[in-house]
């Protein structure tokens, strides 16, 4: 699905309005908060993955599975 983005002329007075400024500031603060939370979750997942990989030794012979042997 593609969306076309078209430029919309906005009067300069509107851009200087305190309402637009408050909305933009609010959006920026919300985005920064969500971005920081997502970076934190990503770092936690990376740490857990590295811990699991460090605990895993692929050269240890495990008896938790049965080997396939042709009959």
């Amino acid at each position: 699905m593609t969306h076309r983005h078209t430029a919309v002329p906005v009067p300069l007075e509107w851009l200087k309005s305190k309402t637009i400024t408050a909305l933009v500031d609010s959006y920026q603060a919300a985005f920064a908060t969500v971005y920081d939370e997502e970076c934190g979750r990503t770092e936690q997942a990376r740490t857990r993955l590295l811990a699991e990989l460090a605990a895993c030794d692929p050269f240890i012979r495990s008896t938790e599975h049965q080997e396939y042997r042709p009959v």
Side-chain angles (χ1 to χ4, degrees):
M1 228 159 75
T2 58
H3 297 283
R4 286 189 180 184
H5 298 283
T6 57
V8 177
V10 177
L12 187 58
E13 300 84 37
W14 289 7
L15 292 177
K16 292 180 178 177
S17 119
K18 291 191 184 238
T19 303
I20 294 293
T21 304
L23 288 172
V24 170
D25 291 346
S26 172
Y27 175 78
Q28 285 179 330
F31 179 83
T33 301
V34 170
Y35 180 78
D36 290 343
E37 288 176 2
E38 186 60 30
C39 286
R41 279 191 220 109
T42 302
E43 188 60 36
Q44 288 174 352
R46 181 180 293 125
T47 303
R48 285 193 313 266
L49 178 61
L50 287 174
E52 287 295 325
L53 288 174
C56 176
D57 188 0
F59 299 109
I60 293 178
R61 185 173 171 91
S62 175
T63 59
E64 295 175 2
H65 65 278
Q66 294 180 354
E67 293 184 11
Y68 172 77
R69 294 185 184 181
V71 182

